[in-house]
């Protein structure tokens, strides 16, 4: 029986871990072919590729991002070849598998819950023509009837699953690999599926180290640990991180979902030593309202979270990403504004504003009536409204989310935004609301925008608002552009009054031994022609560095300055700057 395992990933850069585990777990009894697609590929193409493989059984791994597309593909495959057996597994079919079989006659089998042992049992039962009623975790048809077998207990020892990363060729080069060092979560958040499985199980640490070595050698771009709370076991987490730090790999980073209030001083001290950009942390805040946090089954110590996040920020080596969810119980639009401002004020590298999805199997979906949830019962099950927030308000938050993604995340407008928010608004949320009104008035929300255009639109917004400190703002915008867009010419709309230095003058200054010794010792022997691509020498109408150092106080704007800016290629710190006004004035 020729068997294929497949899935539709959300993007090409992603890969699916489940089908890799499943095929490894049965490799001694069956050769299973693996093939992956993405939801962006043409449905006809996917169907044709699978059909050409002439399989007897195809298993699909289903998630919220691919269920609809997967079902379409399955339907065509079955019409084309009625003898083909189709099996579905994964979180999207785990909680209502019987209904899915009932509504989609072209699906033959569903395996619900953890898949490895059930899949193995299922294959050997089919191959030996045994009775399917003994296969725990299986849902199948018997004539018109749909039979749901007993659930299967979780694997007692995860190490029974052979590692899919024992040999890593170049198949993951420059891609994202999802990696699991533990399964399960100690917490019980009511919007999340991880709360449906009890207990946390761990893979053997030596196996994890071996896999990580292989992935590093395979030149993976990012290893995303899918462990639900990576720091649930501090010692285990530290041993993994220490291993990575000792390996000191280049051009790869490791992403972890961590619970910030569990990070203690020992762990803080430890991570402070990591190389810049090696680790990334994703931290779920979700809301800062106590009643909401309680209703969703979380136990966040918000003060501790803030202290930890600020401390990590001060190290300047770890990219932090904070999550908020709009549409949670008891959180109105006005109250969400407070959650947003509190999170925004932590000034991490990325703020992600998500919208609640009522996932099948989640506590909030089961309690939807209590909170008056309205949503469309189709993936992604995103809420439309609840007792506390209206659809119009959700739409407005989506507009804000889009602007935060464009203007805040990535840090390309850092100083301009900081000046604007500190001097003209009550908080970040008010600024984004104001920008959103302008954005929609101009219909910019209907278009896509290059980064350069985003600078242009922000400049126009500043002009439109008529802020009295527009000179400062235009200089900050120029500074933001130059620092964050290496080797790109300054667009003419960002030029300020103070004249650009001529190329000849810049060359002459960059030859100065004193300057090279003081600021660019590592570039001392580099030809000026080359050095000019690594640095910028720019004039500003104001004393830009002093203004920033003085908390963006417009009264501290000072006089014209010349700034030397060096590009760093860092993920967090992109550039370094020095005020070299005196030196320049001596020379010109
Ligand atoms: C990786 C991942 C992603 C990746 C996608 C990767 C890809 N391949 O394209 C990214 C980051 C893009 C992503 C995005 C989102 N994700 Co996500 N994501 C995950 C994550 C962290 C890991 C999935 C995984 O590989 N798990 C490890 C494998 C081994 O476990 P498993 O998937 O459960 O598989 C087991 C069984 O389900 C079963 N099984 C699975 N497939 C099959 C197939 C067969 C044939 C069989 C027999 C068995 C079987 O056996 C497996 C082994 O035991 C999970 C959380 C988690 N830790 O599982 C969330 C999770 C899948 N995501 C979730 C959600 C909600 C989202 C988002 C909607 C979040 C958002 N933005 O609001 C988005 C949607 C993206 C979109 N484009 O629409 C939910 C999904 C619920 C669902 N019903 O699918 C999860 C479970 C997290 C949660 N909060 O509860 N996600
Ligand atoms: S949201 Fe995070 S902490 Fe909460 S149950 Fe899910 S994985 Fe665990």
């Amino acid at each position: 029986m020729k068997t294929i395992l497949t899935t539709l990933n959300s993007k090409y850069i992603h890969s699916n871990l489940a089908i890799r585990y499943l095929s490894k777990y049965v490799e001694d009894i069956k050769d299973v072919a693996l093939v992956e697609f993405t939801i962006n590929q043409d449905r006809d193409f996917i169907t044709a590729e699978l059909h050409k493989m002439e399989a007897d059984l195809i298993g699909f791994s289903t998630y919220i991002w691919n269920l609809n597309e997967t079902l379409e593909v399955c339907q065509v495959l079955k019409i084309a070849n009625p003898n083909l057996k189709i099996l579905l597994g994964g979180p999207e079919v785990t909680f209502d598998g019987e209904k899915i079989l009932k509504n989609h006659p072209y699906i033959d089998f569903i395996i619900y819950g953890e898949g490895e042992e059930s899949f193995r049992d299922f294959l050997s039962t089919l191959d030996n023509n045994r009775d399917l009623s003994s296969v725990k975790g299986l849902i199948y048809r018997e004539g018109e009837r749909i039979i749901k077998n007993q659930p299967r207990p979780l694997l007692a020892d995860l190490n029974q699953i052979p590692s899919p990363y024992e040999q890593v060729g170049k198949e993951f080069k420059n891609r994202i690999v999802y990696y699991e060092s533990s399964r399960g979560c100690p917490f019980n958040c009511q919007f999340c599926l991880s709360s449906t499985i009890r207990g946390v199980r761990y893979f053997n640490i030596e196996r994890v180290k071996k896999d990580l070595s292989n992935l590093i050698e395979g030149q993976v771009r990012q290893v995303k640990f899918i462990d639900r709370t990576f720091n649930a076991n501090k010692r285990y987490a530290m041993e993994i991180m220490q291993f990575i730090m000792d390996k000191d790999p280049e051009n790869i980073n490791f992403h972890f979902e961590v619970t910030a209030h569990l990070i203690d001083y020992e762990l803080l001290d430890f991570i402070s030593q990591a190389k810049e950009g090696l680790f990334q942390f994703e931290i779920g805040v979700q809301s800062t309202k106590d009643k909401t946090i309680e209703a969703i089954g979380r136990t966040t110590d918000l003060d501790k979270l803030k202290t930890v996040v600020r401390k990590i920020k001060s190290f300047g080596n770890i990219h932090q990403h904070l999550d908020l969810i709009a549409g949670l119980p008891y959180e109105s639009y006005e109250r969400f504004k407070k959650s947003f401002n509190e999170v925004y004020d932590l000034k991490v590298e990325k703020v992600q504003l998500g919208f609640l999805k009522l996932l099948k199997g989640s506590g909030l979906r089961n309690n939807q009536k209590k909170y008056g949830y309205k949503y469309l019962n189709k993936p992604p099950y995103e809420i439309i409204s609840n007792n506390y927030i209206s659809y119009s308000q959700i739409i407005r938050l989506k507009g804000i989310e889009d602007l935060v993604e464009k203007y805040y995340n990535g840090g390309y407008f850092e100083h301009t935004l900081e000046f604007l928010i500190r001097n003209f608004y009550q908080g970040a949320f008010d600024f984004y609301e104001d920008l959103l009104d302008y954005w929609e008035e101009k219909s910019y929300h209907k278009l896509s925008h290059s980064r350069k255009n985003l600078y242009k639109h922000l400049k126009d917004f500043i002009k439109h608002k008529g802020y009295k400190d527009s000179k400062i703002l235009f200089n900050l915008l120029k500074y933001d552009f130059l620092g964050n867009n290496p080797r790109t010419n300054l667009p003419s709309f960002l030029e300020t009054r103070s004249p650009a230095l001529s190329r000849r003058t810049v060359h002459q200054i960059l030859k100065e031994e004193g300057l090279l010794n003081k600021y660019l010792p590592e570039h001392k022997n580099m030809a000026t022609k080359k050095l000019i691509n690594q640095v910028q020498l720019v004039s500003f109408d104001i004393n830009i560095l002093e203004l920033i150092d003085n908390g963006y106080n417009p009264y501290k704007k000072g006089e014209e300055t010349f700034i030397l800016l060096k590009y760093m290629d860092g993920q967090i710190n992109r550039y370094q700057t020095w005020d070299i006004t005196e030196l320049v004035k001596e020379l010109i």
Side-chain angles (χ1 to χ4, degrees), residues 288-340:
T288 63
K289 183 176 161 87
D290 290 344
K291 195 169 173 191
T292 301
I293 289 294
E294 197 186 318
I296 59 174
R298 286 173 77 87
T299 47
T300 315
D301 177 341
L302 191 62
D303 290 335
K304 174 112 196 267
L305 181 147
K306 288 182 179 173
T307 311
V308 166
V309 168
R310 286 201 183 100
K311 193 85 195 149
I312 297 176
K313 166 98 188 153
S314 74
F315 302 151
N317 62 345
I318 294 178
H319 187 284
Q320 297 186 90
H321 164 162
L322 298 191
D323 290 332
L324 275 171
I325 302 181
L328 291 174
Y330 307 117
E331 194 160 64
S332 63
Y333 182 83
E334 273 308 306
R335 184 54 186 76
F336 185 80
K337 182 171 165 172
K338 187 162 188 292
S339 290
F340 179 89

Side-chain angles (χ1 to χ4, degrees), residues 54-323:
E54 297 185 341
D56 303 298
L57 171 73
I58 306 186
F60 287 85
S61 183
T62 63
Y63 296 89
I64 196 166
W65 55 84
N66 69 17
L67 183 68
N68 295 340
E69 293 81 353
T70 303
L71 289 172
E72 275 177 39
V73 168
C74 292
Q75 190 166 11
V76 179
L77 286 172
K78 191 70 164 196
I79 295 172
N81 176 10
N83 293 325
L84 171 71
K85 297 286 176 216
I86 297 182
L87 161 73
L88 304 184
E92 261 308 297
V93 295
T94 279
F95 300 94
D96 61 351
E98 286 161 287
K99 205 162 120 203
I100 290 187
L101 273 195
K102 190 160 163 260
N103 294 341
H104 303 93
Y106 45 91
I107 307 295
D108 300 286
F109 308 104
I110 281 177
I111 283 179
Y112 65 98
E114 192 167 77
E116 288 87 355
E117 189 60 36
S118 299
F119 183 55
R120 185 180 172 95
D121 191 3
F122 169 71
L123 285 185
S124 71
T125 306
L126 266 193
D127 275 344
N128 296 307
N129 273 324
R130 287 199 312 260
D131 183 5
L132 288 173
S133 65
S134 66
V135 181
K136 289 192 176 128
L138 179 72
I139 310 177
Y140 64 104
R141 298 174 192 282
E142 214 173 64
E144 293 291 289
R145 281 177 58 220
I146 289 168
I147 319 264
K148 181 173 180 185
N149 290 345
Q150 292 285 311
R152 184 173 294 274
L154 299 176
L155 283 175
D157 178 11
L158 288 182
N159 297 300
Q160 281 171 259
I161 314 172
S163 168
Y165 304 117
E166 265 164 4
Q167 267 146 8
V168 180
K170 291 284 169 263
E171 73 264 37
F172 298 117
K173 192 173 171 185
N174 293 327
R175 287 179 78 186
I176 299 176
V177 165
Y178 292 97
Y179 190 77
E180 194 180 39
S181 70
S182 65
R183 217 178 251 188
C185 182
F187 299 109
N188 191 22
C189 308
Q190 294 301 294
F191 55 84
C192 174
L193 286 192
S194 300
S195 64
T196 60
I197 300 174
R198 296 268 146 255
V200 187
R201 290 162 292 158
Y202 291 87
F203 283 97
N204 181 304
I205 191 105
E206 293 311 320
R207 162 192 170 136
V208 174
K209 290 179 182 173
K210 181 137 199 312
D211 285 346
L212 292 177
S213 293
N214 294 344
L215 291 170
I216 291 169
E217 267 170 43
Q219 297 174 355
V220 168
R221 187 213 285 183
Q222 183 180 51
V223 177
K224 234 175 162 175
F225 278 73
I226 57 169
D227 302 37
R228 307 317 284 138
T229 300
F230 180 69
N231 58 328
N233 178 336
K234 187 174 90 171
R235 293 277 152 231
Y236 186 79
M238 280 170 74
E239 193 167 341
I240 293 177
M241 289 172 138
Q242 183 69 62
F243 178 78
I244 298 170
M245 280 153 74
D246 290 346
K247 283 244 146 206
D248 194 23
E250 293 292 324
N251 303 325
I252 176 169
N253 71 68
F254 297 81
H255 177 104
F256 306 103
E257 287 187 33
V258 297
T259 296
H261 68 257
L262 291 185
I263 298 182
D264 61 11
Y265 283 108
E266 185 192 9
L267 191 48
L268 277 174
D269 193 39
F270 170 74
I271 57 178
S272 70
Q273 294 147 34
K275 181 169 77 176
E276 191 216 315
L278 187 62
F279 299 144
Q280 281 185 13
F281 285 173
E282 182 172 341
I283 297 166
V285 183
Q286 323 309 11
S287 165
T288 63
K289 183 176 161 87
D290 290 344
K291 195 169 173 191
T292 301
I293 289 294
E294 197 186 318
I296 59 174
R298 286 173 77 87
T299 47
T300 315
D301 177 341
L302 191 62
D303 290 335
K304 174 112 196 267
L305 181 147
K306 288 182 179 173
T307 311
V308 166
V309 168
R310 286 201 183 100
K311 193 85 195 149
I312 297 176
K313 166 98 188 153
S314 74
F315 302 151
N317 62 345
I318 294 178
H319 187 284
Q320 297 186 90
H321 164 162
L322 298 191
D323 290 332

